[in-house]
Amino acid sequence: MRADGVVLREWGEADVAVMVALFDTAEMDRWTPLAHPFDRAAAVAYLARAVEGRKAGTLQFAITEDGGEALGEVLLFPTEADGVCELAYAVGAEYRGRRLAARAIKAVLPVAVAAGYREARLSIATDNVGSQKVAVAAGFARTELPTIRRERKGYVLDLATWAITL
């Protein structure tokens, strides 16, 4: 799918090396649930989970500018709340500052609408200023829902909920 200068496409086996380059960083380890180190084996397993997840309604798209090399990822997955999906994103360090994440989120919102969702949410760590800026640029607003404390991989994250009505 194309929108606002980005092309979202499904991940494929040819993307394994690019996934390693994008996701095997300390910053990805800090802010995402991705495996660390994110090596070839982790990328192959991640790709297999993406294929299986699609059957359960989780959509994972490579973010590109032309349908070619992946520059990041945007995900759409169902939540327990009726009519609500959650989105997540990650952009490789060398590609940040180009509004790729915000543009990819906007590009995937019509998919959420077509799937029958009425609201999309983001869970963003309260100290992740970069992701908060992405949320604002994509039209999301922080909700009044209480923050959720998550501990994973030795990090403690206080996650705020951001939302947009579809």
Side-chain angles (χ1 to χ4, degrees), residues 6-166:
V6 295
V7 178
L8 304 181
R9 63 167 176 77
E10 290 189 43
W11 289 107
E13 290 181 27
D15 292 312
V16 168
V18 171
M19 292 170 97
V20 171
L22 290 172
F23 300 147
D24 189 34
T25 69
E27 194 169 22
M28 291 291 183
D29 181 44
R30 168 86 171 103
W31 299 121
T32 75
L34 293 168
H36 189 75
F38 196 92
D39 55 15
R40 180 172 176 71
V44 169
Y46 189 72
L47 182 59
R49 283 191 307 276
V51 170
E52 285 301 309
R54 184 168 280 282
K55 295 173 188 173
T58 297
L59 306 176
Q60 293 177 243
F61 298 107
I63 301 169
T64 77
E65 290 180 311
D66 58 6
E69 185 173 340
L71 311 174
E73 175 180 55
V74 63
L75 299 91
L76 181 154
F77 49 95
T79 68
E80 293 179 11
D82 187 41
V84 178
C85 67
E86 187 163 343
L87 306 178
Y89 49 86
V91 172
E94 64 268 32
Y95 306 113
R96 293 187 191 134
R98 295 163 51 177
R99 298 181 42 86
L100 289 167
R103 292 187 288 149
I105 289 169
K106 289 178 182 179
V108 83
L109 290 177
V111 174
V113 170
Y117 292 110
R118 296 181 310 278
E119 181 178 296
R121 293 181 180 172
L122 300 167
S123 293
I124 301 175
T126 56
D127 54 345
N128 188 339
V129 176
S131 279
Q132 292 170 23
K133 288 179 181 180
V134 168
V136 170
F140 285 68
R142 187 168 172 177
T143 71
E144 297 293 325
L145 294 170
T147 59
I148 300 167
R149 178 159 283 197
R150 291 251 169 89
E151 295 184 34
R152 66 175 180 232
K153 301 186 295 182
Y155 299 106
V156 176
L157 301 173
D158 290 319
L159 300 172
T161 302
W162 294 68
I164 189 169
T165 301
L166 303 176

